[in-house]
Amino acid sequence: MKSKKTHKFLSGAIAVFSVLAIASTVGCGDNGNSDEQSSEESKAVQATEEISEESSEVETKEETEPETEPETEESETEEPEESEEETETSSPKGDGNISIVSHALSKDNDGNDVLVLEYVWTNTSDEAQSFIYDVHEKIYQNGVECPHTYSCDDVDFDEVWEEIQPGDTVNVKMAYVLQDKTDVNVTVGEYVGENGLIDETIELGGGKGVSPSDIKETSVKINDYYVTKSEDDEDILIVEFEFYNGESEAISMYDQCDGVLIQNGIECDGYTYGYGDAIPVEDTEELYVKPGYSVKVYFGFEISDMSDVSIEITDCWEEDTIYLSETLSLS
């Protein structure tokens, strides 16, 4: 039985693996770590350039000492062959300090189809660092982010937290819940408004998936709503929104929107997880959506009775932009 968690409607601070609730009025997404991540990326690029220069010097030396060439070539070819045997995939994909060396289909402990990706990652910073704090990886199907799963036996999730020393390299696996068997787009180190280290497509056999729309206006609409009971026998209003990204970059509803639901003149708390199994899919407001695509977002609201409720969704960056303003009849 899942315990009830506090998470205000379209507000809260997102942490890795967990969400810390804020019991206050709705707030915008926090992109405060962008500068820090950009700094780490710059360090990675600088370190890569230095390694490239050192490699050039080694190659020049080898030209004057041909007797060492056979030994060097043997060393360079042995590692990819070993990787291919273990992963049964083609050559690694990626640049800089991270590459994809394998992928495999599996199941998590809830029976969901998942994609397990194996990365090889090098700490190019000047201090001990962990994978989870150095890179931001996302995978997309049909333009919508596939969430991580932390209940897959094929993955040791302690590895992503383990710090390694500067210059050290490790292999790390992550698992993602799939929508279907359509192609998967993998992006790593992709910050808002900046290019990432990896942008690759992995074919799973189900075709390319849904094509994006060319509509350039972000929108929110209500697909469905109904009243159900929580695990504590409280009345919960479930609302299924559809969030469409008309911006120029991947965003989430959490980052883009503010929202409030009012009943009898009082704001109702809204949450995206908890209440037992009342919410069909949890934490969907945090999923990133590529331009031209939409995602279903589910919220649960604590209501006091069956009287009408009013709901309004606005742009958190431009308060005058109202995406949705409706009154819902519950009786």
Side-chain angles (χ1 to χ4, degrees), residues 5-8 11-23 254 273 286:
K5 306 174 184 177
T6 55
H7 187 167
K8 291 291 288 182
S11 69
I14 300 180
V16 181
F17 296 167
S18 64
V19 179
L20 179 62
I22 299 178
Y254 172 87
Y273 56 104
E286 298 171 12

Side-chain angles (χ1 to χ4, degrees), residues 143-212:
V144 179
E145 179 186 356
C146 296
H148 294 88
T149 177
Y150 306 109
S151 62
C152 181
D153 294 336
D154 296 328
V155 177
D156 180 3
F157 294 103
D158 290 337
E159 292 179 346
V160 302
W161 296 98
E162 293 176 356
E163 293 186 346
I164 63 173
Q165 295 301 313
D168 287 352
T169 299
V170 294
N171 285 41
V172 175
K173 289 184 178 181
M174 296 291 286
Y176 311 85
V177 178
L178 295 172
Q179 304 169 22
D180 48 40
K181 295 298 178 62
T182 56
D183 294 353
V184 169
N185 175 233
V186 184
T187 63
V188 179
E190 182 178 333
Y191 305 104
V192 176
E194 298 179 13
N195 294 324
L197 297 171
I198 296 177
D199 189 350
E200 295 288 344
T201 297
I202 297 176
E203 297 179 358
L204 301 182
K208 294 184 177 180
V210 178
S211 298

Side-chain angles (χ1 to χ4, degrees), residues 126-157:
D126 56 2
E127 59 185 7
Q129 186 64 280
S130 64
F131 175 88
I132 202 67
Y133 286 121
D134 188 56
V135 298
H136 281 230
E137 24 72 54
K138 296 183 183 297
I139 77 167
Y140 296 86
Q141 275 187 315
N142 303 305
V144 179
E145 179 186 356
C146 296
H148 294 88
T149 177
Y150 306 109
S151 62
C152 181
D153 294 336
D154 296 328
V155 177
D156 180 3
F157 294 103

Side-chain angles (χ1 to χ4, degrees), residues 73-138:
E73 291 177 358
E74 181 179 353
S75 174
E76 291 176 351
T77 57
E78 283 178 357
E79 186 174 350
E81 289 175 359
E82 183 178 348
S83 176
E84 288 177 4
E85 289 177 2
E86 293 175 356
T87 63
E88 298 181 357
T89 61
S90 57
S91 58
K93 300 176 180 179
D95 297 305
N97 67 328
I98 186 168
S99 299
I100 301 171
V101 295
S102 75
H103 70 274
L105 296 176
S106 185
K107 295 275 189 182
D108 66 10
N109 295 338
D110 295 322
N112 298 311
D113 290 326
V114 302
L115 177 67
V116 178
L117 291 183
E118 180 181 6
Y119 302 94
V120 57
W121 167 69
T122 300
N123 179 10
T124 54
S125 71
D126 56 2
E127 59 185 7
Q129 186 64 280
S130 64
F131 175 88
I132 202 67
Y133 286 121
D134 188 56
V135 298
H136 281 230
E137 24 72 54
K138 296 183 183 297

Side-chain angles (χ1 to χ4, degrees), residues 210-214 244 291-293:
V210 178
S211 298
S213 168
D214 58 0
Y244 173 81
Y293 291 94

